[in-house]
Amino acid sequence: MFNQYNLEEIRDRARASFIGLAVGDALGATVEFMTSTEIAAQYGTFRDIIGGGWLRLKPGLVTDDTEMALCIARAIIRSQTWSMDAVAENFAAWLKGRPVDCGDTCRKGIRRYMVHGTLEAPPNQWDAGNGAAMRLLPAALFSLPDGQRMNKYILEQAHITHNNPVSDAACICLGSMIHLALMGASKSRLRREADGLVARFPTFAFEPYRGLATGYVVDTMQTVFHWFFRGKNFEDCLVGTVNQGADADTTGAICGMLAGAYYGMEGIPGRWIKKMDKSVIAEIEQVTDKLIAACPLGGF
């Protein structure tokens, strides 16, 4: 079904998706919690990886979005299978290491695991943040192209911290769009997937765009959808997204993983990759290749 050329293209898109996540995280972290008006007043259009921001990061450093995704990737590779115990243990070790940032819902869920050993948070109407969506990429890569397996992995990792139907719906839609983009689907096909989410959950409607980019997963996905479908290239998509401000590291990370899967490595500006922490990029390249080699598609 898949010849060698296609598999190489998929590896390229997978690398671009994970690197795109990290690039979007590092770019957006500078303007996180700023308003779009404040960004415009200070930078005009913000488009360079310069660090700083409220976390006072060095240029090219990443936050919890990339770090939690790497926790999942490492767990899969070390276990050579999908192991929720391994994922949760990596989250716990990461939190104990005093990361530069961690969202409240993620922190609460990880601490629950550390104290009680529970791998699933209780359902909570208030846990519709974007923390489960921002880190799901390794689950999508490891399941490619099996949609049922993807749904299982994505929801299990989500429910360690976020057990909410709105978060679940966003995660499943995002994972499906990443699978489609990795396999070379058109933007019109990806748009049908987003429209399907809106049909099931009208709260995700992004036309007209409301301009909200908060940590609420609905605002996050509306922002990502708006700028991804408007953008003419990777840079367009990402610059538009992070210039909305608010939870810009996470909207940037999610848009970066989606746009990276769609545009591939050649679409990511070299000036951004050069600014990134080299050890992060090296690990991302290594784990991405291993995840694709181990996924159902990798066996063809």
Side-chain angles (χ1 to χ4, degrees), residues 105-165:
T105 305
C106 288
R107 186 184 302 275
K108 181 177 67 177
I110 296 167
R111 283 182 169 165
R112 184 187 301 108
Y113 168 76
M114 292 165 67
V115 173
H116 302 291
T118 51
L119 292 171
E120 183 169 340
N124 189 332
Q125 64 174 322
W126 305 111
D127 287 351
N130 54 22
M134 71 185 189
R135 65 185 191 231
L136 62 74
L137 182 60
L141 296 179
F142 186 55
S143 58
L144 188 72
D146 188 330
Q148 286 189 322
R149 192 177 302 197
M150 181 201 72
N151 291 354
K152 176 180 184 293
Y153 295 168
I154 281 178
L155 293 184
E156 285 183 352
Q157 69 82 26
H159 287 176
I160 294 176
T161 56
H162 295 68
N163 191 348
N164 178 281

Side-chain angles (χ1 to χ4, degrees), residues 127-129 164-171 197 201 203-204 216-218:
D127 287 351
N164 178 281
V166 177
S167 169
D168 289 353
C171 288
L197 173 65
F201 290 81
T203 187
F204 283 100
Y216 177 39
V217 75
V218 171

Side-chain angles (χ1 to χ4, degrees), residues 229-281:
F229 291 117
R230 277 177 60 114
K232 298 288 192 283
N233 52 51
F234 182 93
E235 185 168 354
D236 271 358
C237 297
L238 204 52
V239 168
T241 297
V242 302
N243 275 269
Q244 292 297 141
D247 201 10
D249 61 330
T250 301
T251 58
I254 293 173
C255 186
M257 76 171 84
L258 182 57
Y262 182 78
Y263 289 105
M265 282 302 301
E266 69 176 14
I268 303 178
R271 74 179 196 281
W272 283 349
I273 295 177
K274 286 177 184 176
K275 284 287 188 180
M276 293 299 294
D277 183 298
K278 289 180 173 54
S279 64
V280 171
I281 297 298

Side-chain angles (χ1 to χ4, degrees), residues 2 4 34 47 66 73 93 103 127 132 183 193 211 217 249 257 270 286:
F2 304 103
Q4 187 64 30
M34 295 176 70
R47 56 174 66 250
T66 307
D127 287 351
M183 304 298 288
E193 205 70 18
V217 75
D249 61 330
M257 76 171 84
Q286 182 182 58

Side-chain angles (χ1 to χ4, degrees), residues 4-283:
Q4 187 64 30
Y5 171 79
N6 287 336
L7 193 53
E8 282 303 313
E9 183 176 318
I10 288 162
R11 286 194 190 102
D12 177 88
R13 292 178 184 273
R15 290 186 200 112
S17 185
F18 216 142
I19 290 173
L21 185 164
V23 165
D25 182 6
L27 183 72
T30 304
V31 293
E32 185 181 15
F33 299 136
M34 295 176 70
T35 67
S36 58
T37 303
E38 289 169 340
I39 295 168
Q42 184 166 341
Y43 299 104
T45 299
F46 179 72
R47 56 174 66 250
D48 292 305
I49 293 175
I50 60 173
W54 76 280
L55 293 170
R56 300 180 181 178
L57 297 176
K58 292 181 180 179
L61 290 184
V62 295
T63 73
D64 51 342
D65 307 77
T66 307
E67 290 170 349
M68 293 191 80
L70 283 169
C71 284
I72 297 174
R74 293 173 193 137
I76 295 168
I77 291 165
R78 188 178 302 119
S79 303
Q80 291 296 295
T81 188
W82 181 255
S83 166
M84 283 306 302
D85 288 315
V87 171
E89 280 297 315
N90 278 6
F91 284 170
W94 170 75
L95 188 62
K96 288 175 186 174
R98 305 173 78 88
V100 65
D101 189 27
C102 180
D104 290 342
T105 305
C106 288
R107 186 184 302 275
K108 181 177 67 177
I110 296 167
R111 283 182 169 165
R112 184 187 301 108
Y113 168 76
M114 292 165 67
V115 173
H116 302 291
T118 51
L119 292 171
E120 183 169 340
N124 189 332
Q125 64 174 322
W126 305 111
D127 287 351
N130 54 22
M134 71 185 189
R135 65 185 191 231
L136 62 74
L137 182 60
L141 296 179
F142 186 55
S143 58
L144 188 72
D146 188 330
Q148 286 189 322
R149 192 177 302 197
M150 181 201 72
N151 291 354
K152 176 180 184 293
Y153 295 168
I154 281 178
L155 293 184
E156 285 183 352
Q157 69 82 26
H159 287 176
I160 294 176
T161 56
H162 295 68
N163 191 348
N164 178 281
V166 177
S167 169
D168 289 353
C171 288
I172 293 299
C173 178
L174 178 60
S176 298
M177 291 175 74
I178 290 169
H179 270 199
L180 288 165
L182 291 170
M183 304 298 288
S186 66
K187 271 204 181 181
S188 61
R189 176 63 186 89
L190 298 182
R191 177 60 189 257
R192 290 202 300 274
E193 205 70 18
D195 288 343
L197 173 65
V198 173
R200 294 187 300 275
F201 290 81
T203 187
F204 283 100
F206 56 99
E207 289 184 339
Y209 176 53
R210 299 182 302 151
L212 300 178
T214 74
Y216 177 39
V217 75
V218 171
D219 294 343
T220 296
M221 297 310 298
Q222 287 174 339
T223 296
V224 170
F225 290 157
H226 175 76
W227 290 107
F228 174 72
F229 291 117
R230 277 177 60 114
K232 298 288 192 283
N233 52 51
F234 182 93
E235 185 168 354
D236 271 358
C237 297
L238 204 52
V239 168
T241 297
V242 302
N243 275 269
Q244 292 297 141
D247 201 10
D249 61 330
T250 301
T251 58
I254 293 173
C255 186
M257 76 171 84
L258 182 57
Y262 182 78
Y263 289 105
M265 282 302 301
E266 69 176 14
I268 303 178
R271 74 179 196 281
W272 283 349
I273 295 177
K274 286 177 184 176
K275 284 287 188 180
M276 293 299 294
D277 183 298
K278 289 180 173 54
S279 64
V280 171
I281 297 298
E283 182 178 10

